[in-house]
Amino acid sequence: MFVGFDYGSANCAIGVVEGGDVRLVPLSGDSNYLSSTLYAMDRELIAEAVLNQLPQEQKVEYARARAAQLSRAHAARRDLDLLPNEQAVFVGEQAIEAYLDMPDEGFYVRSPKSFLGATGLRESQIALFEDIVTLMMMHIKQQAESNFSPAQKITHAVIGRPVNFQGIGGEQSNQQAEAILSLAASRAGFTEVDFLFEPLAAGMDYEASLDENVTVLVVDVGGGTTDCSMVKMGPNHIDNRDRSADFLGHSGQRIGGNDLDIALSMASFMPHLGLGSLMVNQLPVPSKPFWNAVAVNDISAQRDFSALASKKLIEDLIKDAQKPELVQRLLKVQKEQLGYKLVRSAEQSKIALSSDACVDTPLEYIHAGLHARVSEDDFESAITIPLSKVEALMREALEQAGVMPDRIYVTGGTARSPAIYKRISGLFPEIPIVVGDHFGSVTAGLTRWAQRVFA
């Protein structure tokens, strides 16, 4: 079987073609989407989980490559008093539930795709992300195949990728990320994979509905990246196997829903933890530990925040702060590793603001009775810088193409936000805007392309 596989920053999805139409298959209960999260009681147990699910012919080579991690996994399982076959690594909603139950006891990663193109990764870190992606792909493939007969195995996939995985690092970052995805897909049981830019995939789904030839600016604002593509679409183009001549311009950067959640956390939550308050010497409390707490898509920031030196710094700030009771809350976030939980609360506030003018967000897991009130204006103010970057990407794609679009097609889960739509529509008010399936359009386009590539 061939599929379209959206290994997304926020959610993952699989699509198949049935009777000429695209159908997304359930991956988590009745949902067609699986949250891009993983939780392990100990990070070394991830390699053990991969080994256990590999086919026999791959186990020897993998065990040799991960000998050190597997040895540490054995010790971790003993230290945690886990039974030999007791589950210790969780994916999707199970991972979120495990993290919320034990935020300070295990290893939690949200949106691993956001890290794949990071510059300066050590060999051990690349190996860790290879294992994280492999385990997630194994789980997703198994869940997808459970919807079909045992004889029907998924073997071929077109996997979506952003134009640029990382704002810095250029093509080297893209090659690193694609290599991780390719290796993980192979270990997960895919015999052949192809890659397609996600905004182009989203545009192909829209193209299936067109009865005229038009030039379209596709704006895909996802969980981890924003990608823009200027594409010629319509009846004269849709059946072409090679679409390179139709792709007039591309731009992309690692700026997406995660960044909006982080920005909202800083602007609306962190003042309740002491950000913006003063020290006894009248200087402001340093902002760096607050930023490190919620910068969940920055490996070095997360490592710094969890370190003993960060704990010592916050304790010193408490001694010298005019409002030590506020900074004490930041110390709790550091000790119990609640940064992801804060960002998740911001994400829930962002989603609620799609329909409500103001939301009251409970933060009682930080301090009893603590709530943060967030309005539409607060959100728009908090995300000014990320939205400016989205605007710049749209202009960059237009500049590369050298033409103006007939229409703008907006997709991606983050684009559901009225604040984002208002910014995009206000940039070129004379151009009609079409809003696609915020979550399913990329998967549908990947699936249509898989039919052309593999069928």
Side-chain angles (χ1 to χ4, degrees), residues 395 404 408 422-433:
R395 294 187 184 279
M404 291 296 288
I408 298 174
K422 183 167 72 174
R423 187 70 170 264
I424 292 173
S425 61
L427 190 57
F428 302 105
E430 71 283 1
I431 300 175
I433 290 187

Side-chain angles (χ1 to χ4, degrees), residues 350-368:
K350 176 187 71 180
I351 294 170
L353 287 170
S354 296
S355 56
D356 299 324
C358 192
V359 297
D360 187 63
T361 305
L363 301 175
E364 294 180 338
Y365 54 87
I366 293 176
H367 183 76

Side-chain angles (χ1 to χ4, degrees), residues 321-332:
Q322 289 188 16
K323 296 182 178 179
E325 70 280 3
L326 296 185
V327 186
Q328 188 73 42
R329 297 170 182 176
L330 180 64
L331 183 61
K332 181 172 183 178

Side-chain angles (χ1 to χ4, degrees), residues 26-88:
L27 296 180
S28 180
D30 295 331
S31 175
N32 295 332
Y33 304 97
L34 183 86
S35 179
S36 297
T37 52
L38 178 142
Y39 179 90
M41 293 184 181
D42 188 284
R43 65 189 295 171
E44 308 299 348
L45 294 169
I46 299 171
E48 178 194 73
V50 171
L51 177 67
N52 290 340
Q53 295 187 53
L54 282 174
Q56 197 61 41
E57 62 271 17
Q58 295 183 32
K59 286 190 174 184
V60 173
E61 180 183 351
Y62 179 83
R64 186 182 303 115
R66 297 288 192 271
Q69 292 93 328
L70 293 171
S71 176
R72 291 195 293 268
H74 181 75
R77 186 168 283 274
R78 183 180 62 248
D79 292 343
L80 292 169
D81 199 24
L82 295 172
L83 297 173
N85 295 321
E86 187 174 350
Q87 185 176 359

Side-chain angles (χ1 to χ4, degrees), residues 185-201:
S186 175
R187 285 175 172 167
F190 294 96
T191 58
E192 190 171 344
V193 298
D194 196 14
F195 292 93
L196 182 67
F197 287 151
E198 289 160 353
L200 303 184

Side-chain angles (χ1 to χ4, degrees), residues 163 197 199-200 228-231 247-252 393 396-397 400:
V163 176
F197 287 151
L200 303 184
C228 301
S229 290
M230 189 77 86
V231 190
F247 303 148
L248 306 180
H250 311 288
S251 64
L393 289 173
E396 181 183 342
Q400 284 186 24

